[in-house]
Amino acid sequence: MDPGVIRILRPADGTLVGELAVTPIHDVPNRVARTRSVQAGWASLPAKDRERRLRALLDAIEVRSREIEDTIVAETGKPRSEAILEVAAAADHLQYHLKTTAGFFRSERVSMGWMAWKRGFVQREPLGVVGVISPWNYPFILSFTPVVTALFGGNGAVLKPSEHTPYSGLLVEDLARDAGLPEGLVQVVIGRGDMGEALVRGGVDKVFFTGGPSTGRAVLAAAADSLTPAVLELGGKDPAIVLEDADLKRAARGIVWGAFLNAGQSCISVERVFVVEEIYDAFLRETLNAVRGVRAGSTPEVEVGPMTR
C-alpha cells in the first residue's frame, strides 16, 4: 500500500469511495503559517462583522446538504437518517453561535476589590490558529463544530480529519470557501496518526482533539512540549440507571436507542445498565422486545448500519 495515498472504502460493501494524497509532513508548519497570516485580518474584524460573514455558512450547508449526507453515508456506512442528524446538528450549532458569540466579546467591567481607585475590564481576544483533530464516528459534525467555534472566536483553523473519513472533513473547507470566507482561514491536512502529531507540533495556538483515550494521551504529551493548550473530548464507559418507579417500556426504548445509535460507535452511547433488582426481569423483557424491533443492514430504511471500523 502506498503510504502517500489513503484509500477510503465503503463499510457497507467494501467498494472504493476514493483515494487522497497524504499531505507532506514537512508542509504542516507552512499550512499553519499560511492560516496565521490570513487569521490576522480576520481577528481584526469586530465580532459582529465576523458573525455577519459566518452567517453565509447556513446557506452553504443548505445548498450542499445532500452531498454532505451522501459523503457521510459512504464513508461511515451509517443510515441516511443519522447522516441527516449530523447536518441538522451542524446548522443548530451555527445558529447558536450566531445568537450568542458577539456578546461574548463585549468588554466587561469587573471589580478591582480593595483597589477601588482602579478600573478593571475583561476583554476576550482571539488565540490565533486552532488545530482540530476529528474522529471517524461523526465525521462531519465533529469536524465542523470545533472549526466554526474557532472562527467565531476570531481564530483560523487547520483540520486533520480521520484517515477513515477524510472527505467529510474536506467538506468543511469547501463550505468555508462557498461562504466567501478568506482563502486559507480554514485548511485541511490529510494523513494518519503521524499527521495529527505534526499538526500538534506545527505551531498552532490551541489543539482540539476528539477520539479515544490512548490517542488523547499522545496528543496531550505532544502539546505539553510547547505548552500548547489542549481540549480533549474522549470516550467513556457510560451507564444508564433504572429505578423502581421507572416507566420500563420507555426506559428500555431509550436505552436501546442510546446503545445502538451509530451502531454503538458513540462516545456517549449506553454501554452498561444498572437496574434495581426487583424490576430487573420486567425491564429485561422490555429491552428484548425493543431490540427485536431494531432493523440492521445497509438499506435506507434500517436503524443500524454496518460498523465503520
Side-chain angles (χ1 to χ4, degrees):
M1 183 172 60
D2 184 352
V5 174
I6 289 176
R7 300 180 78 243
I8 301 92
L9 304 177
R10 288 180 176 81
D13 57 16
T15 58
L16 183 68
V17 175
E19 296 182 335
L20 290 171
V22 172
T23 304
I25 291 287
H26 63 78
D27 194 37
V28 173
N30 297 330
R31 298 288 188 97
V32 174
R34 164 65 176 151
T35 296
R36 189 179 305 284
S37 68
V38 178
Q39 179 269 337
W42 180 250
S44 69
L45 296 174
K48 271 290 186 184
D49 287 352
R50 293 197 297 265
E51 175 192 299
R52 177 179 52 80
R53 297 192 65 178
L54 288 166
R55 188 175 294 277
L57 283 169
L58 283 173
D59 292 333
I61 289 174
E62 182 177 359
V63 168
R64 301 184 76 151
S65 60
R66 184 73 182 192
E67 178 189 355
I68 298 169
E69 294 164 19
D70 289 342
T71 303
I72 295 169
V73 170
E75 291 191 308
T76 67
K78 65 177 63 179
R80 183 170 296 275
S81 59
E82 293 186 7
I84 291 171
L85 283 177
E86 285 203 47
V87 178
D92 282 349
H93 184 87
L94 184 55
Q95 291 275 23
Y96 170 80
H97 278 300
L98 288 169
K99 294 175 182 176
T100 61
T101 303
F104 185 76
F105 280 90
R106 294 192 188 103
S107 180
E108 296 180 17
R109 181 82 178 268
V110 293
S111 169
M112 295 300 291
W114 61 270
M115 293 187 292
W117 63 93
K118 296 286 188 181
R119 291 195 301 169
F121 299 87
V122 171
Q123 179 64 55
R124 297 178 175 90
E125 300 289 343
L127 278 170
V129 178
V130 177
V132 176
I133 303 173
S134 63
W136 50 265
N137 59 340
Y138 292 91
F140 178 70
I141 183 67
L142 294 181
S143 296
F144 182 84
T145 54
V147 167
V148 165
T149 301
L151 297 180
F152 271 100
N155 305 293
V158 179
L159 166 66
K160 188 282 195 194
S162 168
E163 62 268 33
H164 302 287
T165 54
Y167 285 105
S168 295
L170 284 167
L171 283 167
V172 177
E173 185 177 7
D174 290 344
L175 290 169
R177 189 175 295 113
D178 293 349
L181 300 183
E183 188 69 29
L185 186 65
V186 176
Q187 293 192 73
V188 174
V189 293
I190 301 298
R192 302 176 178 86
D194 56 347
M195 182 61 62
E197 181 178 2
L199 179 58
V200 175
R201 298 184 184 277
V204 295
D205 300 290
K206 189 167 188 171
V207 175
F208 191 97
F209 168 80
T210 307
S214 59
T215 307
R217 292 187 187 98
V219 169
L220 195 58
D225 287 343
S226 56
L227 297 179
T228 301
V231 175
L232 308 180
E233 182 187 345
L234 310 178
K237 193 68 177 172
D238 308 300
I241 300 172
V242 185
L243 302 181
E244 59 271 20
D245 61 346
D247 179 332
L248 297 187
K249 185 173 184 178
R250 183 178 182 185
R253 290 179 63 185
I255 286 168
V256 168
W257 179 85
F260 283 81
L261 180 69
N262 197 25
Q265 302 168 125
S266 304
C267 60
I268 56 172
S269 65
V270 176
E271 297 188 45
R272 49 188 176 151
V273 185
F274 296 98
V275 186
V276 174
E277 187 172 8
E278 54 263 40
I279 62 168
Y280 173 79
D281 290 336
F283 173 76
L284 182 60
R285 286 193 296 271
E286 293 292 351
T287 301
L288 291 173
N289 287 336
V291 171
R292 291 187 186 104
V294 175
R295 296 167 297 176
S298 300
T299 54
E301 69 276 3
V302 302
E303 287 87 26
V304 178
M307 295 185 72
T308 305
R309 295 184 63 195

